[in-house]
Structures are given as C-alpha cells and as structure tokens.
Amino acid sequence: MIWLNPGSFLTILNLTLCGLANGLEVTNTAKPVTSIDQSNSTVTTCIPRQRKEWRSIGPLERADYLKAVQCLQQHPSKSGLHGARTRFDDFQGFHISVTTQVHEVGQFLPWHRWFLHVYELALRKECNYNGHIPYWDWTKDADPANPEAFHSSSIFDATGGFGNLPLVRSPLSSGAFAKYRLIFGTGPPPNVTDHFIERGFDIEMLPRLTEGAVNSTMNKKTFETFRIELEGRPITPESKIHDSGHRAVGGDMGDTYSSPGDPLFYLHHANLDRLWWKWQRIDPSTRLYQISGRSTQIPPYRKVTLNTTLPTGTFGQSIQIHHVMDIGNKLLCYTYV
C-alpha cells in the first residue's frame, strides 16, 4: 500500500508495517519498511528493531540489558569531557553540557530521540548487546490512590530490575547499579563530584503519570502544543509527564542536567519517544515532519526548522532534525510494540 502527501516530497510505503495506519500498535515488524525523507526525497529501507516495554521482555533479555549498561559503566571514557571516567559518564556528561540547548526548546524531542539512538548504538557496538532500549510505561504503576503500586513496581526490583526506590533521597541499596559511582553531580556544569546513584520517591508526581495525563497530552492537535504539554515545567505552570517521570524517581534522575546518571533515564525517555511516535502516527500526513518552537532559551530567538542542526559532540556526525523525525528510516530503524 502506498500513501502520498501531495503537498510535500514525503512518501511512505507499506504504512501498516510501520504501524502508521489507524494509529495501531505494531506486533510484527519483520518485513522491510521503505520511507522517503521529506527534506530531500532520499529513499530508505530497513527492518525495524522492536523496542518493548520493560515488563514484556523475558528475564534473560532484561539481564542482558542490565549487563550491557554495566559494560558501559566499565569501559573507559572517549569523550574528553572533564571528569568523565567511563562511557556511561560520557553520555551523562554530554547531556549536562547541552542541557540548556535541548530543553524548553523545539528540538527537545528530536534531540532526545537521537540521544537514545546513539546510546543504543554504544550498547550494541561496544558491549555486544543484541537487544534494544526498553521503555518504561509508568502508567502501569502510577495510581495516586495507591502509591505503593509505583514504589513496589518490578522495575525497581533488587535483582531483575534497576534497584530500589528510597522513600527519601538516598543512595541505592540494591540492584545492578548500587555500587556505581557518578562523577557528575546535579545542577549545571562544572559540578564534578563522586557519589553513588541517588533516588527519592516523590508521591506528588503520580497524578501526572496516569493514563488521563497521557491522554491530555495525546489530544493536542499541533506539535507546538504537544511538546509543551509533554515537557512540562518550567514552560508550564505545573509538572507534566516528562518532568513528573523524572521527579517521581527523584535524586539524580530528578535533576534536569544530570538525570542520565540514573539508567532509568533512558527507559523514561524511550517511553516519551514512544508517545511522540504514537502522536505522529495519528495523522502522519500532517504530523510526521511537523516541527516548531524556539531554538534557544534566551534571545535572540529563532524558529526551529527541519534543517536545524542538533548538538552531537563527539558522538557522531552532524545531524539535522529531519534525520530523526521518522523512526522507520534507515538511520534510526526501530519501532515500538
């Protein structure tokens, strides 16, 4: 089946294979998917990898993912960032260094989509990981009437998960990452420190992580209103699903700058990326390449476009926003199930 947007150069072949048709979730992506980049009409074909919810993958797959992250935490730094000791530090340190360039701006979602992609590539190429980045659907855990459901979620399991969620901010006492020491502290750079990963449960965030909160976000009609509703404070008066997911876990994860120091960061942002992709699929002819917003936090403001260049540091070649708008393209080549 072929769908054509006559107002642009965007053509997507076999939309049902990528899950674009009718906004349905995909359960079989074994066949190639072909797409055309709207900005330059480049044809690409790939067989998408499946990113799955943490609880839907088997115990061996979960163990493999945790081991791959531990592998990054053991490999020496390559970034040249001051203080970074390991490859895991490289990702946290780079996020800290570009925080003000990729938050509260139109490139917030595209940049984090790219960031997860290069993190996944590092797991694969440097740690021989054959899986994918899982996502954490916190709506399955967030029940404001029963906070214990979130606190005791299997994602915080001491053996097969990411370690415990303390009720007050304190170092992890269990899990695969309890002994890992972060070199970067919370807040803007430079903030070189040496501490165990910390968390601290914030019950007040649970109402903003429910199905109702997600539906409120998904009901937005334009990318501009969608991205603002998703990202939340400080561009909205109240917390939304992005910042609430960070703050509910708290500690290092709760800090805008240093949050990638908690391995849960990547599962949280994979879920946000999944929701953006789901929003794009609702009306692909309008939304797949829809982008807007300011490109800087401070004046002079410029509008983000598909040709806006994303900061990539030492993590790869220069990337423009249009390269990451379609997760089914040859560069990204993944989907969510």
Side-chain angles (χ1 to χ4, degrees), residues 50-227:
Q50 294 182 337
R51 289 184 178 176
K52 303 176 182 179
E53 212 277 333
W54 175 253
R55 284 158 283 210
S56 72
I57 61 178
L60 293 180
E61 293 176 274
R62 291 196 292 268
D64 284 345
Y65 180 77
L66 297 175
K67 288 177 183 176
V69 177
Q70 288 179 312
C71 167
L72 279 190
Q73 293 178 338
Q74 295 166 2
H75 281 202
S77 168
K78 297 179 181 180
S79 67
L81 290 169
H82 175 65
R85 297 174 298 190
T86 70
R87 289 295 282 149
F88 187 82
D89 292 348
D90 285 346
F91 285 91
Q92 185 196 19
F94 183 60
H95 183 277
I96 291 172
S97 72
V98 299
T99 291
T100 57
Q101 300 177 50
V102 297
H103 294 80
E104 305 167 45
V105 289
Q107 62 267 33
F108 168 75
L109 284 168
W111 185 86
H112 282 84
R113 176 172 283 178
W114 166 83
F115 189 58
L116 265 63
H117 168 66
V118 293
Y119 181 78
E120 186 174 77
L121 285 181
L123 293 174
R124 289 171 169 276
K125 293 181 178 181
E126 300 176 38
C127 294
N128 299 316
Y129 177 59
N130 294 319
H132 54 83
I133 290 182
Y135 63 91
W136 173 26
D137 183 359
W138 15 255
T139 65
K140 299 178 182 295
D141 304 308
D143 181 358
N146 180 23
E148 181 57 25
F150 190 95
H151 183 254
S152 62
S153 169
S154 61
I155 204 159
F156 299 115
D157 189 78
T159 54
F162 289 77
N164 63 307
L165 177 60
L167 293 175
V168 296
R169 180 166 180 162
S170 55
L172 301 187
S173 61
S174 67
F177 312 110
K179 295 181 187 275
Y180 187 71
R181 302 190 72 91
L182 294 175
I183 197 65
F184 298 116
T186 55
N191 191 7
V192 176
T193 180
D194 187 4
H195 69 283
F196 292 114
I197 298 172
E198 296 181 346
R199 294 180 186 149
F201 186 24
D202 188 344
I203 296 174
E204 299 299 319
M205 296 298 106
L206 295 186
R208 300 175 178 90
L209 295 173
T210 62
E211 286 283 0
V214 169
N215 291 338
S216 178
T217 305
M218 299 299 292
N219 287 337
K220 300 303 179 183
K221 303 301 182 183
T222 66
F223 178 80
E224 187 68 3
T225 54
F226 173 80
R227 73 161 184 96

Side-chain angles (χ1 to χ4, degrees), residues 26-30 48-52 132-133 334-337:
V26 181
T27 56
N28 180 10
T29 57
R49 298 183 304 277
Q50 294 182 337
R51 289 184 178 176
K52 303 176 182 179
H132 54 83
I133 290 182
Y334 65 86
T335 192
Y336 288 100
V337 298

